[in-house]
Amino acid sequence: MTYRWVAAGVTVAFLGYLFLYPLARILGLSLGEEGAFGAFEEVLTDSGLRSALWFSLWQSAASVALTLVAAAPITWAVSRFRFPGRALAKALVTAPFVLPTVVVASAFLSLGIGGSVWAILAAHVFYNVAVVVRTVGGVWARIDRSLFEAARTLGANPRQVFWRLTLPLLRPALAASSAIVFLFTFTSFGVVLILGGLRYRTLEVEIWQQTVVFLNLPAAAALAIVQLVGVTAVLAWYSRYQERKAVGLELEAEDRNLQRPRTLRQRLMLGAAVWGTLGALAVPLVTLVARSLRTGGAGWRFLMDPGPLAVTPGRAMVNSLLYAGATAVIAVTVGLCASTVIVSGKGRAARWFDVVLMLPLGASAVTVGFGMLVALDWPVDLRATVVLVPLAHALVAVPFVVRTVTPMLRSVGAGLRETASVLGASPWRVFREVDLPIAARAVAVGGGFAAAVSLGEFGATAFIARPDTITVPALIFRLLGRPGAVSYTGAMAMAVVLAATVTLLIMAVDRIRLGELGSF
């Protein structure tokens, strides 16, 4: 048995037992013991459950529209102009996207607007501006500038150039970013749970409430299936739209298309777009730090001496770091195996294998946690063990590792492997001494992202973490629900610590990535 078969076996066993099997159990639970559709009937007839479905739909659509509007100015700025600090501006815009959901929710809670739908929408925009800037801006910056100059030469004014040329060329990228934002907000959990206070509930929050509060597992399972159907429908629409609207366009390098602002009007608009967006994104985070320092710094003293808590902030941080380390190890191991199978495979089977690996990203973290809760009691009951948390985190993180490592393994020339084989190296030795050293930095980047995902994960952890081994995001949520100013400012202080930890980790990952790009 070659190492490729071992790699395939590890990947299939991991994905099958931790994702596909729980998904099947959820489906069986939603159908009921007698195969009836009673749980689905409850979802369709219960006004509260229908309200959660409707809220999930309309707030996602509203979040997409508001995000596109909010991201438009800075996307235009970084896509069309070269200016000092452009790379830094793109990095700062991206920073909110990697923050844990409880940090973002705490930041907007610190503004004093919690309990309103506007707080939820604002937090979703804050989170997802980076998606539009990176997706749409990445294409816009590489559209040949001569196309716009030719249109102006033919007499088109700036408005006509935008509506008749720029917008049609950007439609596929706009559709991609809209689909991503819709999926993120449709499956939103931490932001809605903290800022909505159960007054506003997405399907994610309703699944959690039906399971934890009402112990209505069939209804929760039916909601999880409805949510998966909705996610699949959005992905199918996006795939079909991309096929119909795809534009055959040869993109240019960014350096050839970017230009410096020439007129005073361009400079003023550029400054307003960049500084206005960055200033708006900074307000919640600055307010979060300021709130953590109120009452004479009692929140920070609370971290050192929290009083009678089942789990102290220090213990929760240790738990989070241990989970993050274990998640990185598991995700890198499985992701490396999966990438090896994808690269060594051929034809449709390899493509389908790659698609199946991405399925956990299509399912929500709450669905993943709920599925593990109802399914993983066979052949060994993992539900009461600490190993379940890093396994759940790794399930969500593996696709990030695969997307990072696979391109590097594909870059290894076939001649290198063939030469090593001719010299007598076994397939395992070829992988160990040829493939692995070349992909080492990509593996490190994937492991760093996996650790960052683990540090901020809240949806699945809310289901499966034991009371004495909860993580920092779970403890922040508990503190926000306790009465008293000290608990509140303590939660703010913990959110600041978590944000700083994740930011430092992402900065380290970026340094590794830069080294990787400079070496190959």
Side-chain angles (χ1 to χ4, degrees):
M1 180 180 293
T2 66
Y3 78 96
R4 291 185 178 89
W5 285 104
V6 174
V10 170
T11 308
V12 170
F14 180 84
L15 191 66
Y17 182 63
L18 295 179
F19 181 69
L20 299 179
Y21 170 57
L23 209 59
R25 287 290 300 271
I26 289 177
L27 180 60
L29 188 62
S30 66
L31 296 177
E33 295 181 358
E34 300 179 357
F37 288 84
F40 288 102
E41 292 178 3
E42 181 181 355
V43 169
L44 295 175
T45 57
D46 187 280
S47 60
L49 301 184
R50 283 190 285 112
S51 175
L53 175 59
W54 170 240
F55 179 73
S56 297
L57 289 170
W58 81 256
Q59 66 84 21
S60 299
S63 296
V64 170
L66 292 173
T67 301
L68 291 175
V69 172
I74 195 166
T75 304
W76 165 79
V78 300
S79 301
R80 305 313 300 159
F81 295 102
R82 180 185 292 108
F83 56 91
R86 176 177 175 272
L88 178 61
K90 291 178 67 176
L92 292 176
V93 167
T94 306
F97 185 71
V98 301
L99 292 177
T101 55
V102 292
V103 171
V104 174
S106 299
F108 278 87
L109 199 63
S110 68
L111 294 174
I113 58 174
S116 70
V117 69
W118 294 109
I120 295 172
L121 295 176
H124 286 165
V125 171
F126 174 86
Y127 229 121
N128 292 296
V129 162
V131 174
V132 179
V133 174
R134 291 289 185 173
T135 306
V136 178
V139 174
W140 199 352
R142 299 181 63 192
I143 297 176
D144 193 348
R145 193 172 63 191
S146 63
L147 292 174
F148 305 115
E149 294 173 351
R152 286 191 290 268
T153 301
L154 293 173
N157 59 43
R159 181 176 298 180
Q160 291 173 322
V161 170
F162 176 77
W163 286 105
R164 297 185 181 181
L165 180 61
T166 305
L167 190 59
L169 293 176
L170 292 179
R171 278 176 182 167
L174 287 168
S177 60
S178 298
I180 294 171
V181 173
F182 186 91
L183 290 177
F184 282 157
T185 53
F186 184 73
T187 59
S188 182
F189 177 65
V191 166
V192 178
L193 182 61
I194 293 175
L195 295 179
L198 296 182
R199 179 183 176 187
Y200 301 100
R201 304 188 304 276
T202 57
L203 288 178
E204 288 279 87
V205 175
E206 191 63 52
I207 292 169
W208 174 82
Q209 183 172 253
Q210 291 294 326
T211 304
V212 176
V213 179
F214 301 131
L215 301 179
N216 189 351
L217 298 186
L223 289 169
I225 296 299
V226 169
Q227 180 172 270
L228 284 173
V229 171
V231 168
T232 304
V234 172
L235 292 175
W237 167 85
Y238 167 66
S239 178
R240 182 170 178 80
Y241 183 89
Q242 288 290 75
E243 290 179 2
R244 294 173 55 192
K245 299 295 183 180
V247 179
L249 183 65
E250 188 172 335
L251 300 178
E252 300 287 338
E254 285 190 7
D255 291 340
R256 296 183 57 184
N257 290 315
L258 298 176
Q259 60 181 343
R260 295 190 180 278
R262 299 172 182 174
T263 65
L264 177 61
R265 182 171 180 270
Q266 284 183 340
R267 294 189 186 96
L268 291 176
M269 291 179 64
L270 181 64
V274 175
W275 289 108
T277 303
L278 294 180
L281 293 176
V283 169
L285 298 178
V286 172
T287 306
L288 174 65
V289 175
R291 285 294 181 95
S292 72
L293 296 172
R294 284 191 174 184
T295 63
W300 292 92
R301 292 195 299 272
F302 173 83
L303 299 186
M304 306 303 297
D305 184 19
L309 282 179
V311 177
T312 64
R315 182 67 250 179
M317 178 57 73
V318 171
N319 291 340
S320 290
L321 293 175
L322 290 175
Y323 288 148
T327 298
V329 172
I330 298 170
V332 163
T333 301
V334 178
L336 195 55
C337 289
S339 297
T340 301
V341 175
I342 293 170
V343 172
S344 61
K346 296 180 181 179
R348 186 176 297 178
R351 290 195 298 271
W352 275 107
F353 190 78
D354 193 9
V355 170
V356 172
L357 285 170
M358 298 300 111
L359 286 178
L361 289 181
S364 69
V366 166
T367 300
V368 169
F370 176 58
M372 289 182 169
L373 186 67
V374 300
L376 297 189
D377 57 347
W378 178 90
V380 178
D381 193 349
L382 297 177
R383 297 176 299 180
T385 65
V386 295
V387 73
L388 192 58
V389 175
L391 285 175
H393 292 180
L395 184 64
V396 179
V398 162
F400 292 96
V401 178
V402 172
R403 294 273 71 83
T404 304
V405 175
T406 300
M408 294 306 301
L409 289 181
R410 280 182 173 149
S411 71
V412 180
L416 287 175
R417 297 190 181 101
E418 293 173 359
T419 301
S421 298
V422 169
L423 293 175
S426 64
W428 165 245
R429 188 174 181 183
V430 172
F431 172 77
R432 189 179 71 243
E433 298 187 9
V434 176
D435 292 357
L436 195 56
I438 293 177
R441 285 197 178 96
V443 171
V445 170
F449 275 122
V453 168
S454 176
L455 285 171
E457 208 288 318
F458 177 57
T461 310
F463 273 97
I464 60 180
R466 298 190 305 178
D468 58 336
T469 57
I470 63 173
T471 60
V472 172
L475 184 56
I476 290 174
F477 175 69
R478 291 190 180 188
L479 291 176
L480 290 174
R482 292 182 61 184
V486 175
S487 295
Y488 178 83
T489 55
M492 298 292 119
M494 287 193 69
V496 172
V497 172
L498 183 58
T501 303
V502 174
T503 300
L504 290 173
L505 180 57
I506 294 300
M507 289 173 61
V509 168
D510 280 341
R511 288 181 65 87
I512 297 173
R513 175 180 288 174
L514 289 174
E516 176 187 342
L517 293 175
S519 301
F520 294 96

